[in-house]
Amino acid sequence: QKEVEQNSGPLSVPEGAIASLNCTYSDRVSQSFFWYRQYSGKSPELIMSIYSNGDKEDGRFTAQLNKASQYVSLLIRDSQPSDSATYLCAASNTGNQFYFGTGTSLTVIP
Amino acid sequence: DVKVTQSSRYLVKRTGEKVFLECVQDMDHENMFWYRQDPGLGLRLIYFSYDVKMKEKGDIPEGYSVSREKKERFSLILESASTNQTSMYLCASRSRGQKYNEQFFGPGTRLTVL
């Protein structure tokens, strides 16, 4: 099993809907979790980080972490066409290692 | 704000050339990383460095080497470029020892090897 796994999509949602992106992880990475957004041709930018079980909200974004089930998700409320991008899930352990999923492509349809 | 810069946004080289990609960060981060990103394959770690003159191989180090002579600068070297090294190259940095710290990325270098 890879350290971090994501469904590659593509995921399409209508404008104004909730987009739900999911990620599972292995026992080898269990400390910190991150969501990056990457527009086509650009580098990844951090949008959310989460370390504790439960939900963390930042504007239209909510990250959810469930350590018992080993998954982390990102919800985007009131999706906008500008949210269309690839979303990368990442995780780290206590060492220097940092692991990325392969990304989920999201398209928000106007 | 953390700033990670890369020497070139676009680069075109010929097969067999020696290629240098440079990355500089301004936040005194100990850890620096080089990735390549290809469609369908995601981010793949080439090398990382956790201190000056220290380096560790990542998942795909073959055909690459790195140099870290100063804390703020991490260079990726393609000793003899080949067409299968055409890719987007991303540099990142991260503060060491604090497990909650995220990685910050540079803008990327799109390298084409002809």
Side-chain angles (χ1 to χ4, degrees), chain A residues 11 21 36-40 45 80-88 103-108:
Chain A
L11 175 66
L21 304 160
Y36 288 80
R37 178 177 61 201
Q38 186 176 22
Y39 292 115
S40 180
E45 59 174 323
Q80 302 296 308
S82 59
D83 294 326
S84 298
T86 295
Y87 290 80
L88 301 173
T104 299
S105 175
L106 171 67
T107 300
V108 180

Side-chain angles (χ1 to χ4, degrees), chain A residues 30-96:
Chain A
S30 59
Q31 296 297 329
S32 311
F33 303 90
F34 309 90
W35 283 100
Y36 288 80
R37 178 177 61 201
Q38 186 176 22
Y39 292 115
S40 180
K42 302 294 186 182
S43 62
E45 59 174 323
L46 180 76
I47 53 173
M48 290 287 289
S49 56
I50 187 166
Y51 321 118
S52 304
N53 262 333
D55 294 0
K56 180 181 178 182
E57 188 173 316
D58 184 1
R60 296 186 296 110
F61 298 97
T62 299
Q64 300 175 318
L65 175 59
N66 184 322
K67 290 194 173 184
S69 301
Q70 295 183 240
Y71 79 79
V72 57
S73 61
L74 179 70
L75 301 178
I76 307 174
R77 290 183 301 281
D78 188 24
S79 295
Q80 302 296 308
S82 59
D83 294 326
S84 298
T86 295
Y87 290 80
L88 301 173
C89 174
S92 68
N93 55 21
T94 53
N96 289 316

Side-chain angles (χ1 to χ4, degrees), chain B residues 13 36-39 44 64 78 82-89 110-114:
Chain B
K13 295 292 182 181
R36 64 177 284 177
Q37 188 175 35
D38 302 286
R44 293 183 290 169
Y64 303 95
L78 287 65
S82 64
T83 55
N84 62 13
Q85 292 178 310
T86 292
S87 185
M88 169 72 98
Y89 289 88
R110 185 164 294 282
L111 172 67
T112 302
V113 182
L114 301 176

Side-chain angles (χ1 to χ4, degrees), chain B residues 39-73:
Chain B
L41 297 177
L43 283 165
R44 293 183 290 169
L45 182 65
I46 304 171
Y47 270 96
F48 71 95
S49 168
Y50 52 88
D51 206 342
V52 176
K53 296 191 185 294
M54 307 302 287
K55 61 185 179 184
E56 292 281 345
K57 293 181 180 179
D59 301 319
I60 51 164
E62 296 78 18
Y64 303 95
S65 62
V66 290
S67 172
R68 190 152 180 218
E69 297 296 319
K70 293 184 178 182
K71 191 174 186 180
E72 67 272 17
R73 189 179 298 269

